[in-house]
Amino acid sequence: MKIKSLLFLFVLFSFVTFAQTKVSPEETNIKKSLIYFTNSIKTKNIDQAVSCIYPKLFTVIPKDQMTQLLNITYNNPFMKIDMQDFKFGSIEKPELIKGEYFSITNYSFKLKCNVSSMNDDMKKKINSALMNKYGKDNVKYLANEGAYLINANMKACAVSKDRKYWKFVILEKEFKRDLVKVLPKKILDKI
């Protein structure tokens, strides 16, 4: 009888554990789309990355301006950027709002920014900008390499009409007032 009870508890525990780790198709599709987006940036295929951005964002920042901004950031000969160690955090269950699904997605990666070819004044400006954006505890200067190592904890809103193909808006508090024109209030309240 004792063995049957233990066996029953083991099977029950296995079912509970499996049920908790089951990933929804939406979560799988969000992950796939976000990996495609970040890999496009990592490989410096900026036009491909821009195609992953939620089109309504271009009502606030024109598409050509967004492309130019990403090119200046990731294809800058004076500051070589390398993305490493991409990890997913939590992905919220998608919510249907006015015919579109919205899901807040957390993720992180390490950025290595080589600034060795910049002059001291530019290095100081970059240092200040990185500290403000990512926080002092997340930015480390590697003097021997002339590079910054940044722990970037990010948040994005994934948006889809069909829950298969997702587009993204990077969520940052400093741009919340601009995102009012792009995202529903219910989603903005989560930033």
Side-chain angles (χ1 to χ4, degrees), residues 145-163:
E145 297 180 41
Y148 287 95
L149 187 61
I150 302 146
N151 292 317
N153 297 305
M154 305 294 290
K155 188 180 279 198
C157 181
V159 186
S160 176
K161 289 187 184 288
D162 62 7
R163 295 184 292 176

Side-chain angles (χ1 to χ4, degrees), residues 73-91:
T73 304
Y74 294 100
N75 285 328
N76 187 332
F78 299 106
M79 184 173 71
K80 293 178 179 57
I81 296 178
D82 182 30
M83 292 174 71
Q84 310 165 354
D85 199 24
F86 182 87
K87 293 180 183 170
F88 284 101
S90 63
I91 297 175

Side-chain angles (χ1 to χ4, degrees), residues 23-35 86-94 102-107 156-158 166 168:
V23 177
S24 72
E26 291 92 354
E27 187 173 325
T28 300
N29 291 333
I30 290 170
K31 284 181 176 182
K32 192 162 67 170
S33 294
L34 188 57
I35 288 170
F86 182 87
K87 293 180 183 170
F88 284 101
S90 63
I91 297 175
E92 289 185 2
K93 183 179 178 190
F102 295 85
S103 173
I104 302 294
T105 305
N106 294 286
Y107 61 100
C157 181
W166 296 84
F168 297 94

Side-chain angles (χ1 to χ4, degrees), residues 170-182:
I170 305 302
L171 301 177
E172 296 181 6
K173 288 181 183 178
E174 60 265 26
F175 299 116
K176 188 173 179 177
R177 61 180 163 73
D178 294 326
L179 296 178
V180 169
K181 301 170 189 167
V182 178

Side-chain angles (χ1 to χ4, degrees), residues 2-107:
K2 209 178 208 184
I3 293 175
K4 286 183 180 180
S5 295
L6 287 174
L7 184 60
F8 174 74
L9 285 174
F10 176 73
V11 170
L12 182 63
F13 180 72
S14 297
F15 280 126
V16 169
T17 303
F18 177 74
Q20 289 177 348
T21 59
K22 188 177 178 184
V23 177
S24 72
E26 291 92 354
E27 187 173 325
T28 300
N29 291 333
I30 290 170
K31 284 181 176 182
K32 192 162 67 170
S33 294
L34 188 57
I35 288 170
Y36 181 78
F37 175 55
T38 56
N39 280 343
S40 298
I41 291 173
K42 186 176 182 174
T43 59
K44 300 179 184 357
N45 191 339
I46 301 304
D47 289 331
Q48 187 172 297
V50 171
S51 74
C52 299
I53 296 172
Y54 183 46
K56 282 187 184 176
L57 184 62
F58 301 132
T59 62
V60 177
I61 303 168
K63 190 174 185 175
D64 60 332
Q65 189 177 345
M66 177 64 74
T67 303
Q68 184 181 13
L69 178 67
L70 290 173
N71 267 315
I72 288 169
T73 304
Y74 294 100
N75 285 328
N76 187 332
F78 299 106
M79 184 173 71
K80 293 178 179 57
I81 296 178
D82 182 30
M83 292 174 71
Q84 310 165 354
D85 199 24
F86 182 87
K87 293 180 183 170
F88 284 101
S90 63
I91 297 175
E92 289 185 2
K93 183 179 178 190
E95 291 184 63
L96 181 62
I97 303 171
K98 295 182 181 179
E100 293 181 304
Y101 293 90
F102 295 85
S103 173
I104 302 294
T105 305
N106 294 286
Y107 61 100

